[in-house]
C-alpha cells in the first residue's frame, strides 16, 4: 500500500520532543510535507506563477500579477456534515503550512455533489475554521471559494478533452462497464463506444447536457488506457447525468462532474501549489496529473500544475471520524446533537471545553506521516491539560455533597450566623510566568455549615484512610479522638460523629472547628492535619448542575472491521450530578474553564450555563493523577 517515508514526526511522542505549537513559531518539527515545500521554494518551482486575484483559467491568471503567495494550499470540505477532529488535523496542516511559508490557504467548499449540501453545514464549517484560529483573508483578499462556481469551466474542460480525443461518451450499462474494467490481475476491455469520433462524442455530450437522456443512461469517460495496472486510469468516468437541484446553481445543470475530475481542476483554477489529501487518494494521483497535463497542453490551465501529496488520516481511539456515522448518532438521538460534548466534532470538542490552542498543539504533536496508525485518545486529553494547566483558574466544587456541621461554631465565633472570609489563589504560583501579575485571589466564606464530599467521611475508616472519621477505640481499647483534617483554605477541624436517616444514610457529619488554625494566619500550623479536603461553604456555595462526561464508546476501535459502532456505545458516558460550587465558579462566563481542585478540568457550558443563576458545568477531563487516598 503506502510507502513509509521517513519523517521526524512522532505520534504520541514524549513531552520533551514536542514543538511549541500553541505559542507559535519557535521550533516546528519537520515532516515530509515541510521538506517538499522547502525544496520547492528553494528551487523556485512555483515562482513564475501569476495570480489574477480570483480563480480562473490560464488566460485569466496570465493577466494578473506575480503571485504574492509563495505557496497555496486549500482546505476543501464537502458541506455535508459538521467537521470533526480529523478535519481539525487537516485544517491545522493546510492553514498552518500556508502561514509558516508565506502562503495562503484557500477555504473551499467542495460542493460539486448536488444532493448533499446544507447552509447549516456551510456556516458551521466556517465557524469551526475560525474558531481554530485560522482565516482565509490574505493580501487584502478573501479566499473563500465554491467548487460549484467552476462548473462552466469544468464543462469547457470536458469538451476540450472530447475534441482532443481524450474523452468519449459511453452508453454501456453500469454493470457492463464494471465487468469490462477488469481487476488487478486482468486488463480491462475496450468499450464498443470507445472508437467514436470527437464529433460524435461532442454531439452526444451536448445532448447529455441538454437533458436529452435519462439519468444513468450514459457517462463521459476519459480515454486513457483500459490495460493500465492502475485501475483508476482505465477510462474513469468524468461526467454523469443527474437531475438534481444544486444549492448554488439550481437546475442549470443536469450533468455533474465526478469528484476525481472536479478536484484537480478546482486546485488548478485556484493556483494551488500543494494539494494535500489523505492516503486513500494515492491511487488517484496519476489521473490527477494526467488530467492537468492534458488541460495545460490545451492551454486551458497555467503551468506548472498543482501537485497532490497524501498523508495518513487521523484515527483516534474511542472515536469515530466519519461524518456519516456521526450523523447517525445525531439522528438516532444517541447524543443530544452535533455539539454534544461527547461528540468528536469541532463544535462538540468546543462545548466539551477543548481550546483551539490544545487542538493545534495536538495536530502539531501527532505530526504528519505516510502510514496509517491509531493515536491514543489520551494524547488529545494530554494536550488539553497542558494548555489549561497554567490558564484555568482553580476552584472548589463538591460533586457528591453531604453537610458538615461545625458544632462548636457559636462557642468559638460567638454566633451560629458568623462567617469568615477565606482566600486561595486563583492560580498556583507555578502557573504564573515571570513578570506576570497573578489574578486576584478567590474569596469564599466559611460558616457553621459546610458542604463536603460524601466519600470524605467514613464511620469505620478503611486502612490508611486519612480523611474524616469519628472517635473510636484504639488497639488498647481506649477511645482515640476523631481524625483531624484541614478544610482547604479554611480551618482545621476534628471529626466528632455523624447522624443517619432511617435507611442508614449519613445525613450530617459533625466536627469541631479548632480556633486559631485558619489558613494563612500565624497559628495555622499549630495543629497538624492528616489531610486537606475540598469543601464549599453552605452560606455562599451555589447549587450547580455538573455533567460528568466519559468516553462515548467503550471500545477503543468502535467501527473497525465493519463493527456496529452503536453496540460499542458506553452506557455510562454521561452522569449528571447536583453539586455545590464556590462563588467564583458560580459567576463564571459561558465557556470559561476551571480546574475543580482534585477533580479535573471543567467548563461552564456554553449553551445552558447562566452565570450566578443557573450554573452548568461540563467535565472536560480528569486530572492526570487520581486524588487522595
Ligand atoms: P468523512 O468521511 O467524515 O465525510 P471526508 O474526508 O469525506 O470525511 P471532506 O469534507 O471531504 O470529508 O474532508 C475535507 C478534508 O478533511 C479533506 O481534505 C480530507 O482529507 C480531510 N479529512 C477528513 N477526515 C480526516 C481525518 N480523519 N484525518 C485527516 N484529515 C481528514
Ligand atoms: Mg468526502
Amino acid at each position: 500500500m503506502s510507502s513509509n517515508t521517513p519523517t521526524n514526526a512522532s505520534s504520541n511522542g514524549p513531552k520533551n520532543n514536542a514543538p511549541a505549537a500553541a505559542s507559535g513559531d519557535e521550533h516546528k518539527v519537520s515532516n515530509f510535507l515541510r521538506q517538499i515545500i522547502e525544496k520547492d521554494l528553494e528551487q523556485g518551482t512555483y515562482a513564475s506563477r501569476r495570480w489574477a486575484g480570483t480563480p480562473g483559467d490560464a488566460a485569466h491568471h496570465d493577466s494578473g500579477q506575480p503571485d504574492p503567495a509563495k505557496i497555496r494550499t486549500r482546505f476543501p470540505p464537502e458541506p455535508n456534515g459538521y467537521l470533526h477532529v480529523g478535519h481539525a488535523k487537516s485544517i491545522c496542516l493546510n492553514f498552518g503550512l500556508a502561514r509558516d511559508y508565506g502562503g495562503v490557504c484557500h477555504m473551499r467548499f467542495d460542493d460539486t455533489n448536488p444532493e448533499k449540501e446544507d447552509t447549516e453545514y456551510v456556516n458551521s464549517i466556517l465557524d469551526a475554521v475560525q474558531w481554530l484560529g485560522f482565516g482565509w483573508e490574505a493580501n487584502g483578499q478573501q479566499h473563500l471559494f465554491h467548487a460549484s462556481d467552476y462548473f462552466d469551466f469544468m464543462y469547457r474542460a470536458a469538451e476540450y478533452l472530447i475534441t482532443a480525443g481524450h474523452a468519449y461518451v459511453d452508453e454501456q450499462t453500469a454493470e457492463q462497464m464494471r465487468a469490462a474494467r477488469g481487476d488487478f490481475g486482468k486488463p480491462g476491455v475496450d468499450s464498443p463506444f470507445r472508437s467514436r469520433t470527437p464529433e460524435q462524442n461532442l454531439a452526444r455530450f451536448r445532448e447529455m447536457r441538454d437533458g436529452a437522456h435519462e439519468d444513468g443512461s450514459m457517462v463521459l469517460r476519459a480515454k486513457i488506457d483500459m490495460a493500465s495496472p492502475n485501475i483508476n486510469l482505465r477510462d474513469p468516468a468524468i461526467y454523469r447525468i443527474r437531475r438534481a437541484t444544486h444549492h448554488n446553481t439550481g437546475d442549470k445543470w443536469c450533468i455533474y462532474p465526478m469528484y476525481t475530475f472536479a478536484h484537480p481542476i478546482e486546485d488548478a483554477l485556484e493556483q494551488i501549489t500543494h494539494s494535500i489529501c489523505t492516503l486513500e487518494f494515492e491511487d488517484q494521483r496519476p489521473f490527477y496529473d494526467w488530467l492537468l497535463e492534458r488541460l495545460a497542453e490545451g492551454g486551458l490551465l497555467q503551468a506548472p500544475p498543482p501537485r497532490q501529496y497524501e498523508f495518513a488520516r487521523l484515527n483516534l481511539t474511542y472515536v469515530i471520524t466519519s461524518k456519516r456515522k456521526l450523523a447517525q448518532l445525531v439522528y438516532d438521538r444517541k447524543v443530544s446533537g452535533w455539539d454534544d460534548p461527547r461528540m468528536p466534532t469541532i463544535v462538540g470538542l468546543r462545548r466539551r471545553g477543548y481550546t483551539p490552542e490544545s487542538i493545534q498543539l495536538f495536530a502539531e504533536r501527532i505530526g504528519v506521516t505516510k502510514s496509517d496508525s491509531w493515536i491514543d485518545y489520551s494524547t488529545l486529553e494530554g494536550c488539553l491539560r497542558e494548555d489549561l494547566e497554567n490558564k484555568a483558574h482553580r476552584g472548589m466544587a463538591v460533586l457528591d455533597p453531604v453537610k458538615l456541621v461545625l458544632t462548636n461554631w457559636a462557642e468559638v465565633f460567638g454566633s451560629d450566623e458568623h462567617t469568615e472570609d477565606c482566600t486561595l489563589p486563583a492560580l498556583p504560583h507555578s502557573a504564573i510566568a515571570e513578570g506576570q501579575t497573578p489574578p486576584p485571589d478567590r474569596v469564599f466564606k466559611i460558616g457553621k455549615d459546610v458542604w463536603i464530599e460524601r466519600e470524605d467521611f467514613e464511620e469505620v475508616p478503611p486502612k490508611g484512610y486519612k480523611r474524616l472519621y469519628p472517635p473510636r477505640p484504639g488497639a488498647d481499647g481506649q477511645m482515640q479522638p476523631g481524625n483531624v483534617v484541614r478544610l482547604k483554605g479554611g480551618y482545621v477541624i476534628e471529626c466528632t460523629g455523624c447522624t443517619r436517616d432511617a435507611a442508614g444514610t449519613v445525613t450530617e457529619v459533625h466536627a469541631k472547628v479548632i480556633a486559631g488554625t485558619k489558613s494563612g494566619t500565624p497559628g495555622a500550623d499549630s495543629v497538624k492535619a492528616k489531610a486537606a479536603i475540598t469543601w464549599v461553604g453552605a452560606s455562599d456555595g451555589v447549587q450547580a448542575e455538573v455533567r460528568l462526561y466519559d468516553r462515548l464508546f467503550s471500545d477503543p476501535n468502535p467501527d473497525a472491521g465493519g463493527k456496529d459502532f452503536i453496540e460499542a456505545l458506553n452506557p455510562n458516558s454521561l452522569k449528571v450530578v447536583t453539586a455545590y460550587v464556590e462563588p467564583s465558579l458560580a459567576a463564571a462566563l459561558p465557556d470559561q474553564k476551571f480546574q475543580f481542585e482534585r477533580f479535573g478540568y471543567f467548563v461552564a457550558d456554553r449553551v445552558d450555563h447562566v452565570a450566578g443563576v443557573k450554573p452548568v458545568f461540563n467535565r472536560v477531563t480528569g486530572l492526570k493523577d487520581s486524588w487522595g487516598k
Side-chain angles (χ1 to χ4, degrees), residues 321-339:
T321 46
S322 147
K323 280 191 228 131
R324 184 181 57 76
K325 290 176 186 169
L326 294 175
Q328 193 185 331
L329 293 174
V330 174
Y331 296 127
D332 291 355
R333 298 185 181 278
K334 303 294 182 196
V335 293
S336 65
W338 288 100
D339 68 346

Side-chain angles (χ1 to χ4, degrees), residues 75-78 84 86-87 89-90 278 311 313-314 321-323:
F75 175 63
E78 216 179 320
H84 52 62
H87 296 109
K89 174 178 176 177
S90 177
T278 43
F311 72 103
R313 62 186 287 118
L314 170 68
T321 46
S322 147
K323 280 191 228 131

